[in-house]
Each structure stands twice: as structure tokens, then as C-alpha cells.
Amino acid sequence: MPKVKKLGNTPNLMVVVSLTIALFLIGLCGLLTLNARKLAEVVRQNVEVQAYLDNDLSNAKLDSIYKQIAKYPFVLFKDNSAQINFISKDAAAKQFIEDSGEDFHKLLGKNNNPLLNSYSIKIKEEYFSESRLKEIKKSLERIQGIKEVGYVENFVDEVNKNISKIYLILSGFVLLLLVIIIMLVNNTIKLALYSQRFLIRSMQLVGATDSFIRKPFVSKGALQGLISGFIASTLLIVTQQLAVNKVDGLVILQEIDKMVLLILIILMIGVLVGVTSTFRSVDKYLKLSLDDLY
């Protein structure tokens, strides 16, 4: 007995696989964008300004300078604590020798240390620009007891430029990919509906309305989009966890709330593309003449 075709019974695998690949690529671009944003935030929050102090300052004077610095609005606070660290000249000398491999004590003598005590100050992200850092430098140098203020010049502007380029490239790639994906999925669904074109015409001939004919197809398209979204999201999470386990330091870029939002967006895009493409494809066959169906 020949198998009777059911309205809305289109091939699942072909549509789901195509849509899953498409959604995974979109999600991957979104994940890269989130990681780039988080990396930029981490870099900005770790920018430090060094306030070098005069020699032979008393503990009371050091404490006074600390309190004056902490009052400035550009100082980063965490857990109600100003991110200001005192670095003694002995600690600075030890770090210099470890980093450079050169011991200046051999030349100057063990008791001679040309380095200065300093305060290392972390800056809020909104002050992450060359012009604002110059203003910070001038403000700190007005404090009595601070001899000089230093930071890595031009580094800030270079980081900002590179971050902007990354956002622009990824955004352009996502938009291009989205257009290509919509066209690809649209054609895939059209091919999947091809076998149902005569059944659609038969339903029209017996008086079924267009909305009645569309309903099972659109419902199927929404389900296919949802399934594809779940599979793509699972692959994305697995890919992220593999990367985190393989590459040291990537764990600091993870943001659970942003990842959940990305997954919800992928699911929404999956359902939207599935419904829209199915609706357009069914509408095409509803408007075709009998001769065009052949």
C-alpha cells in the first residue's frame, strides 16, 4: 500500500543539519565577540599608573599620600577597597633583576638602589584613554611627596584601536554570514517542500484556506529551528569548554550570564529563520500555477 503523504511532513535531517551548522557559526562569532569584549575589559582593568615617591618619607606621610590618591574618582575599587599597592624599592629591585637578568648591585654596590618606592594604581575602565591618563598624571604629580608619575604611553590608544578593529571585523563577518545563512536555509527548506507541492495544490482545490495549509509547515519549521538551536548551542558550549581546558587563561574570559544570553539569541534566531523561511517557501507554492508546479 503506497504511503500517504501528510501535510507538513517535510524531510527533517537536511533542514536541521543545515540550520545547525548555520547557527553554530553565528554562535561562534558571537562567542568570539564576547571574549574580545571581556579581554578588553580585563586589559583595561589591569592598566596601572605608577606614582614614584620621594625618598625617606615617613609612614605617616606614605599613609597620607595613599588617602589622597584613593579620593580621586579614577581609582578602581574592588570590594570597597582602593586598588592601590605599595611597592618598596627593594621589591622593585628584586623584580627588575628577575625580569632583566641583570644585577645592578654588582656595579653600584649592594647597598645602593637607584629605584624608588612607588604606589601602583589601577584605573577605572572609563578612564582608559591617552588623554585621560595624561590628566591623571598631572593630578597625581600635584600631590606633595610624589616625585613622578609614569605609565606605558601609546599602549592605551593602540589597544583601543585594535579592539575597535576586532569588533568591526566580527560584526561585518556576522552580518555577511547571517545573509548567506538565511539564503542557504531558505533554499534548503524550498527543496524540502518541493515534494509537498502537489499536496498543497490538492488542499487548495478542496477549499482549504492559505492559513490552514501554512500552519503545519510553519509549526514544523519552528520545531526544526528550535532543535537546530539546541544542537548548535550544545556544540558551542562543548567547543568553549574544550578551548578553556586546552588554553591556560581563557577561563577568566568566561561569563555565564552572557553565554546564557547568547544561547537564547541562537534559539530565537533558529526559530525565526525556520518560521520565516518556511512561510516564504509555502507562500511561493501557494501562488504557483498548475503548469509551474510541473
Side-chain angles (χ1 to χ4, degrees):
M1 185 176 178
K3 188 177 180 180
V4 179
K5 288 185 178 180
K6 185 179 177 182
L7 190 65
N9 186 25
T10 56
N12 267 309
L13 186 61
M14 181 172 61
V15 176
V16 170
V17 169
S18 299
L19 194 50
T20 297
I21 294 171
L23 292 173
F24 174 73
L25 291 174
I26 289 176
L28 195 59
C29 289
L31 184 60
L32 289 173
T33 302
L34 289 178
N35 286 344
R37 187 201 63 80
K38 181 61 178 178
L39 180 60
E41 182 181 324
V42 171
V43 171
R44 285 171 177 157
Q45 289 183 353
N46 282 279
V47 169
E48 295 181 347
V49 171
Q50 306 296 328
Y52 299 101
L53 308 173
D54 293 332
N55 286 316
D56 303 323
L57 294 176
S58 65
N59 289 334
K61 183 60 177 176
L62 290 173
D63 187 57
S64 174
I65 292 172
Y66 176 93
K67 290 178 179 178
Q68 290 181 70
I69 295 172
K71 289 179 181 179
Y72 282 104
F74 53 75
V75 176
L76 180 67
F77 274 75
K78 281 187 178 179
D79 300 323
N80 295 322
S81 176
Q83 298 300 290
I84 305 171
N85 296 316
F86 177 76
I87 302 173
S88 69
K89 61 181 182 179
D90 292 332
K94 184 179 179 181
Q95 188 64 47
F96 176 82
I97 293 169
E98 287 179 0
D99 293 342
S100 66
E102 298 180 4
D103 189 353
F104 55 78
H105 288 136
K106 294 178 181 179
L107 179 63
L108 301 176
K110 189 174 182 179
N111 296 324
N112 290 324
N113 185 352
L115 301 180
L116 299 171
N117 296 327
S118 65
Y119 278 118
S120 181
I121 309 156
K122 287 190 176 182
I123 305 300
K124 290 180 181 177
E125 189 176 348
E126 56 265 33
Y127 291 87
F128 193 75
S129 69
E130 198 69 31
S131 59
R132 285 200 160 189
L133 284 175
K134 287 180 180 178
E135 292 175 4
I136 291 171
K137 176 181 169 71
K138 291 178 181 177
S139 298
L140 291 174
E141 286 179 342
R142 294 192 191 105
I143 298 175
Q144 188 177 4
I146 293 180
K147 186 173 185 178
E148 185 183 1
V149 175
Y151 61 91
V152 182
E153 295 185 10
N154 299 322
F155 169 75
V156 172
D157 283 347
E158 286 300 318
V159 170
N160 284 332
K161 286 177 184 177
N162 289 332
I163 289 170
S164 298
K165 287 178 182 177
I166 290 171
Y167 284 157
L168 186 62
I169 292 170
L170 285 175
S171 298
F173 186 69
V174 167
L175 288 174
L176 178 63
L177 191 62
L178 192 57
V179 172
I180 294 172
I181 283 166
I182 289 173
M183 293 173 63
L184 177 65
V185 172
N186 195 46
N187 289 333
T188 302
I189 292 176
K190 279 183 181 179
L191 289 172
L193 287 170
Y194 183 76
S195 62
Q196 295 261 307
R197 65 194 189 284
F198 290 114
L199 184 57
I200 291 172
R201 175 47 58 95
S202 299
M203 295 294 291
Q204 284 181 307
L205 292 174
V206 297
T209 62
D210 289 352
S211 60
F212 179 84
I213 296 171
R214 286 194 194 101
K215 186 176 179 180
F217 289 104
V218 172
S219 299
K220 187 73 171 288
L223 181 61
Q224 288 170 337
L226 191 61
I227 293 171
S228 300
F230 274 118
I231 297 172
S233 299
T234 302
L235 291 173
L236 194 63
I237 292 170
V238 171
T239 302
Q240 184 199 36
Q241 292 307 309
L242 284 174
V244 167
N245 292 332
K246 293 291 183 182
V247 182
D248 293 335
L250 279 184
V251 66
I252 64 172
L253 301 182
Q254 288 194 102
E255 294 180 287
I256 302 300
D257 55 336
K258 299 293 190 305
M259 191 64 183
V260 171
L261 180 61
L262 179 61
I263 289 171
L264 290 175
I265 291 173
I266 291 172
L267 293 174
M268 288 172 60
I269 292 175
V271 173
L272 185 62
V273 171
V275 169
T276 304
S277 298
T278 303
F279 187 93
R280 285 167 55 85
S281 299
V282 173
D283 206 50
K284 174 192 172 185
Y285 288 116
L286 285 172
K287 293 177 181 177
L288 285 178
S289 64
L290 186 60
D291 292 336
D292 292 332
L293 289 176
Y294 288 96

